[in-house]
Amino acid sequence: MRLSRFLNRWVLYALAVLGLALFLRDEYSFTLLNFIGIHALLVVGLNLLLGYAGQISLGHAAFFGLGAYTSGILTATYGVNPWLAMAAGLGVSGGAAFLIGIPALKLRGYYLAMATLGFGIIVYIFLNEAHDLTGGPSGLSGIPSLSLAGFPLNTPHRLYLLIWIILGLILALSANLVNSRTGRAIRALHDSEAGAESLGVDTFRMKLKIFVWSALYASLAGSLYAHSLNFIAPGSFGFMFSIKLVTMVVLGGMASIWGSLLGAGVLTVLPEMLTVFHDFEVVIFGAILMVVMIFLPRGLVRGILDLYEFRRYKKKGGHIPV
Amino acid sequence: MEIFADLLQYLISGLTNGAIYALIALGFGIIYNTTTIINFAQGEMVMLGALAAISIYSLTPSLPLAFLGAVVLVTLVGLVFERLALRPVKDPSPITLIIITVGGAVFIKGVAMLLWGKEAFNLPPFSSNAPIHLGPATILPQNLWVLGITAVSVAALEAFFRLTLVGKAMRACAYNTRAARLVGIAAGRMVQLSFGVSAALGAAAGILIAPLTLGVYDMGTMLGLKGFSAAIIGGLGSLSGGVLGGLVLGVAEALATGFISSGYRDAVAFLLLLLVLFLRPQGLVGGRK
Amino acid sequence: MELQRVSLAFGGLQAVEQVSFEVAKGAIKAVIGPNGAGKTTLFNLVTGFLAPQQGRIIFQGEEIQGRPAHRIAWQGIARTFQLVQLFDHMTVLENVMVGRHRLSRSGLLAGALQFPWTRTEEKGIRAEAMEFLEFVGLANRAQQPAAILPLGLKRMLEIARALASAPTLLLLDEPASGLDAVETERLKDLILALKDRGLTLLLVEHDMGLTMEVADEIAVLNYGKLIADGPPRAIQKNPEVIAAYLGTDWQSQ
């Protein structure tokens, strides 16, 4: 029964993606969908780290930026093949995550949050200041588009399928991961690090692995972003964006793969749909963060599911945890 | 001789900024000591203090009134924040609290943007603007105000925590909330008090620095983060840690800006922060974790 | 297992002082003592959550003191906790499946890509975990969230999970704490069944009735020092032990 449920979700996904590709006409819709896709890539990765593993990262935008700039610089300035540059980006982001993760993940709670935040800001400042390399605050332009076997992906419509196929694969990989041995170990260390350790889980290595893994997703998203807009600027990769990503995780639901898609979707579309929203965007983001975390600390989707599950078991005579 | 003059100048501006960071760090420290919560919204209290003072001053051009009024207002904001955003929390784990206080900070910043817009405002200095010459360096009277009021505040806080019953009660809460409750200390009140005092400190910091750096809606973010960095650098558990961390940070920033480059100025705080977190997480003074 | 002059102090407080004793293979050894005597500290030292400042801990011929907790688990030592450390956001079955961690191999990539051998391994893990649930009588609750179980069943689940890691030595930290008479009886049966299966057990317990019934040997701690070590009958009569427990009338049980 589980297998058929599994198949159904992916079939629906494929149908929805293909359907939109065929029936939508305007470039604007595809641009929006591409942003949703890229954000979803970021949010899934952050969710694995924050929602499942319980590791607070307030600097995720840095890995997004490292991926974007590695791709951008290698292709625009050095004419490297975009796909190779993307791979290089994975290396840079992953490597940075590894290096910063080793000392940072030994920390907990506020200390870890500050370490990741500090790292994120340092990367941002570097992107701003290293003018010769990155183009400074005015950004890096002239980034070529991706092309598949000679076919250039230089319109939103063309990029759409690529981004959403990649996203689909990533969602599948992530869903697999969460229910696997490693996924269980990671969820376990979130609930009780002592318990996990007592069963032989090397919690530090697990945290590091998932930290690097989520950085890889972010790097991929960054590269796709760079090749979509053909232009990047440091402003997109700062502290506020890291907070936005956390908001998307929180809204969609911690420890929920599909919730990540929801959170990314809602918080990408909403600011676009309501132009008056723009002034209020900051206020609303802040309010969402506060309200959701106060009442549903596991996020919207997960919180509602939890309530439903517990209510179900209350009827069967179980105990509700305080 | 040139270098000496420059050094002195950097030291002065570094200490001034350092005093501001110290005040902000103290705000973090007080809440942390009473509740083990880190209030990421602390930076916004600084911003609100500055902007509120500027607004009050534009209505009634009296600096003491503006100072007092702004501090009172921001203290109220701090109390309301604690009541609405933190009291009802069902699951006070670090992740939850961090996200809530970050959300609060973002929210307050957003409101400030709606109320005051994005422009920068001026607050006149407390006394004159005539620079004083200290040997080869110049110091503005406002710098002296900052250092002076910070020193007084720190001394007052020390006295408060050491000598008054309420102050001791707050420290008791930090060490052992349950025991504190058992001997009759109303922990809830202590928490409120800590938020109020921290907000007041933040507001004061903002009003002090506004004549030097202008008041604008987004000034709180960086100041708050740096203030928190200062608190960690010095050591979260102790008052002296906050002060030391603030001053060290301020001076380090000034020296780096002067001798290396100004673009990387903000990075100094976070590089120092990372160094402390990775090598000596309990901070320079080494308070309790 | 053997402890040799193990010592640890926290600041000024000597939590464990020069404690030496042995645990014979296949036996059930209990560690008792008044509150604060250092029993849980001892457990944490043996299982790698703390490192001793002095002394050695030898298990199956190897020195294991100071090794991190997860390495100790790989040696074949498992434990339960005084305050149950379940994975609340996972199901009962998943909790036990985590117990099989060291007996399986799929890493992050394998988990994400789901190779055929990974899938086979996963089926195996699931089946083996179910067996342990059946052994403690929780099989019918496999899909329930672990958080909703009553305390007695939570302890059972924690034991099942610890057993799933195929230990040769199992440490139980106050397993009877918070259990009623019926649940304690069930626990006693379980402990004896485990001994029959060849497991060596080290038990910290306050419930004297249970301890006297299951233990082959008892070590008594007081203020971090070992004050007695021997079979239950000898311990019952030991005047120092009685003095340490002043006020606790357990002789008559």
Side-chain angles (χ1 to χ4, degrees), chain A residues 189-262:
Chain A
L189 75 86
H190 185 184
D191 282 342
S192 167
E193 220 171 293
E197 283 272 332
S198 74
L199 296 169
V201 175
D202 186 342
T203 56
F204 177 69
R205 263 182 82 194
M206 283 292 164
K207 289 179 194 174
L208 190 59
K209 277 191 198 178
I210 204 71
F211 191 63
V212 172
W213 188 246
S214 73
L216 292 179
Y217 283 17
S219 179
L220 188 58
S223 300
L224 288 171
Y225 178 77
H227 292 297
S228 305
L229 294 183
N230 309 107
F231 166 80
I232 50 178
S236 314
F237 309 108
F239 175 59
M240 268 317 287
F241 190 64
S242 291
I243 297 298
K244 260 195 205 166
L245 289 176
V246 173
T247 313
M248 292 183 194
V249 170
V250 165
L251 184 67
M254 306 242 230
S256 166
I257 302 288
W258 293 95
S260 309
L261 186 52
L262 178 71

Side-chain angles (χ1 to χ4, degrees), chain A residues 268-312:
Chain A
T268 307
V269 169
L270 231 40
E272 290 295 315
M273 300 261 99
L274 312 167
T275 34
V276 71
F277 202 75
H278 263 286
D279 270 355
F280 287 84
E281 186 179 4
V282 180
V283 177
I284 294 186
F285 267 102
I288 290 176
L289 279 177
M290 283 197 289
V291 170
V292 176
M293 279 317 264
I294 292 174
F295 297 108
L296 291 170
R298 293 239 294 160
L300 210 54
V301 171
R302 187 53 87 180
I304 294 176
L305 281 177
D306 279 352
L307 279 173
Y308 173 69
E309 283 247 336
F310 287 139
R311 211 136 275 171
R312 190 150 65 108

Side-chain angles (χ1 to χ4, degrees), chain A residues 2-3 172-174 176-203 206 209-210 213 298 306 309-310 313 316-321, chain C residues 49 68-70 73-74 77-79 81 85-90 94-95 97-102 104-109 111-114 121-122 125-126 143-145 147-150 161-162 165:
Chain A
R2 250 182 146 202
L3 188 64
L173 285 182
S174 308
N176 284 344
L177 180 62
V178 161
N179 287 310
S180 71
R181 172 181 178 263
T182 305
R184 276 191 300 272
I186 282 166
R187 288 187 284 149
L189 75 86
H190 185 184
D191 282 342
S192 167
E193 220 171 293
E197 283 272 332
S198 74
L199 296 169
V201 175
D202 186 342
T203 56
M206 283 292 164
K209 277 191 198 178
I210 204 71
W213 188 246
R298 293 239 294 160
D306 279 352
E309 283 247 336
F310 287 139
Y313 284 110
K316 287 189 183 174
H319 294 225
I320 306 292
Chain C
F49 285 90
H70 62 268
W74 281 79
I77 300 179
R79 72 171 290 180
F81 295 84
Q85 296 282 330
L86 287 179
F87 309 130
D88 283 335
H89 291 102
M90 295 165 76
E94 281 175 322
N95 266 267
M97 285 168 82
V98 179
R100 296 305 279 174
H101 185 86
R102 78 170 184 107
S104 38
R105 280 175 42 230
S106 302
L108 190 146
L109 231 43
L113 295 170
Q114 289 289 303
E121 187 185 71
E122 183 77 2
I125 294 175
R126 184 175 293 266
Q143 297 304 326
Q144 293 180 3
I148 66 162
L149 294 181
R161 187 183 73 180
S165 65

Side-chain angles (χ1 to χ4, degrees), chain C residues 110-132:
Chain C
L113 295 170
Q114 289 289 303
F115 301 128
W117 67 267
T118 308
R119 283 187 230 231
T120 316
E121 187 185 71
E122 183 77 2
K123 287 202 192 109
I125 294 175
R126 184 175 293 266
E128 290 155 9
M130 275 305 282
E131 280 176 24
F132 288 103

